[in-house]
Amino acid sequence: MTLNTRPLILISNDDGVDAKGINSLIESLRLLGDLFIVAPDGGRSGLSCAVTSKIPIRAMLIKEEKGLTIYSCSGTPVDCVKLALGNLLPRKPDLIVSGINHGNNASVNIHYSGTMGIAIEGALNNIPSIGFSLCTHKPDADFSQAVSYSALITKHILEKGLPKGICLNVNIPYGTEVKGIKVCRQAAGNWSEEFEERTDPHNGRYYWLTGVMMNMEPDCTETDEYAIGEGYVSVVPSKIDLTAYEYMEDLKYLEI
């Protein structure tokens, strides 16, 4: 952390700069440091680590006051991070925080999530990064428990840091009194029945993304999905290195 300055925290999301989740997060973190927000100008859910390469990206300053700067960006969540780090921030941030997302990003959802795309981009740049998600899609969701735990975890990571190449995927249960925090692993899962075939008014066929998330190990007590179901905030330390080290030796026969 830079000496003689308040921590600088970069915040983004995939629900858009006007979303209730990010604005609740901003209010809860203002005591912890100077906040610099670069967030999409609208919803960008499901874009994972996507970047824009074919069209220009625009950023608009929408608020600036002591300790708080907010930009709206026309790009993807990861575009927001890249633009902030390369062009907008006055210095390298001490922490990147993403969210608070509307919806569960546990299990394999991490691979699709724009919220976690932000945290992964932070880890790629060796900046401690956290993605926060509230497990509901209700537009009028109560974020009070979520902001409380988000602030607590953010404070700890500001103090302790994270190893290089690791970010945190944090999911907060909804509709129940939170019992506490559990550090766990990612549950095995997949999506089924993802697209529904429909017909438009001109008899043209199209497909609408729906799907059901399936937990493939519902009885395992070590996973994020289990922790959430039991009323705990799940914290999964996630790596950007996807190498299957345990299989490398088995592939040696391919070497020439």
Side-chain angles (χ1 to χ4, degrees):
M1 191 179 297
T2 305
L3 295 176
N4 301 318
T5 63
R6 279 164 54 84
L8 178 60
I9 303 172
L10 173 62
I11 299 176
S12 190
N13 73 345
D14 70 357
D15 290 320
V17 71
D18 295 322
K20 185 176 181 180
I22 194 171
N23 284 287
S24 299
L25 185 65
I26 289 167
E27 289 306 311
S28 71
L29 298 187
R30 292 200 69 171
L31 292 177
L32 298 181
D34 293 337
L35 308 185
F36 201 102
I37 293 83
V38 184
D41 55 15
R44 304 284 194 277
S45 295
L47 291 185
S48 185
C49 296
V51 294
T52 301
S53 61
K54 300 294 185 181
I55 59 174
I57 296 171
R58 304 185 189 279
M60 179 182 297
L61 178 64
I62 59 177
K63 188 171 187 177
E64 188 171 29
E65 60 187 51
K66 184 175 177 59
L68 178 64
T69 302
I70 302 178
Y71 277 88
S72 171
C73 175
S74 65
T76 69
V78 169
D79 287 336
C80 292
V81 177
K82 288 182 175 292
L83 187 64
L85 296 180
N87 299 84
L88 300 177
L89 281 163
R91 63 177 176 88
K92 185 176 180 179
D94 299 290
L95 184 71
I96 295 177
V97 179
S98 177
I100 299 169
N101 184 65
H102 289 71
N104 184 322
N105 275 321
S107 186
V108 294
N109 287 321
I110 188 175
H111 294 288
Y112 305 100
S113 165
T115 300
M116 286 309 299
I118 291 163
I120 290 168
E121 183 65 22
L124 285 167
N125 285 276
N126 295 322
I127 301 168
S129 300
I130 315 167
F132 290 108
S133 300
L134 181 62
C135 298
T136 181
H137 288 285
K138 293 177 63 174
D140 61 342
D142 178 2
F143 278 84
S144 56
Q145 287 193 122
V147 297
S148 176
Y149 281 95
S150 297
L152 175 63
I153 293 170
T154 298
K155 183 176 184 294
H156 282 306
I157 299 306
L158 271 174
E159 294 170 352
K160 301 288 188 180
L162 289 170
K164 289 184 178 180
I166 292 178
C167 59
L168 300 185
N169 183 15
V170 179
N171 284 272
I172 302 152
Y174 189 73
T176 182
E177 189 68 28
V178 175
K179 297 176 182 178
I181 299 172
K182 293 286 187 183
V183 176
C184 18
R185 68 169 175 85
Q186 175 183 312
N190 63 17
W191 281 85
S192 65
E193 302 175 357
E194 290 193 59
F195 288 96
E196 180 180 294
E197 184 175 320
R198 300 180 181 180
T199 303
D200 66 27
H202 303 285
N203 292 320
R205 183 169 55 189
Y206 69 97
Y207 301 90
W208 193 263
L209 181 65
T210 56
V212 177
M213 176 65 198
M214 305 293 293
N215 181 2
M216 306 306 291
E217 42 184 352
D219 298 323
C220 180
T221 61
E222 302 173 348
T223 70
D224 49 6
E225 289 282 14
Y226 188 89
I228 295 163
E230 291 296 307
Y232 290 91
V233 174
S234 70
V235 178
V236 177
S238 305
K239 298 191 296 184
I240 58 174
D241 183 355
L242 299 179
T243 306
Y245 291 99
E246 70 278 8
Y247 190 59
M248 289 177 64
E249 193 62 35
D250 293 335
L251 284 177
K252 290 292 186 181
Y253 71 90
L254 292 176
E255 294 185 347
I256 296 175

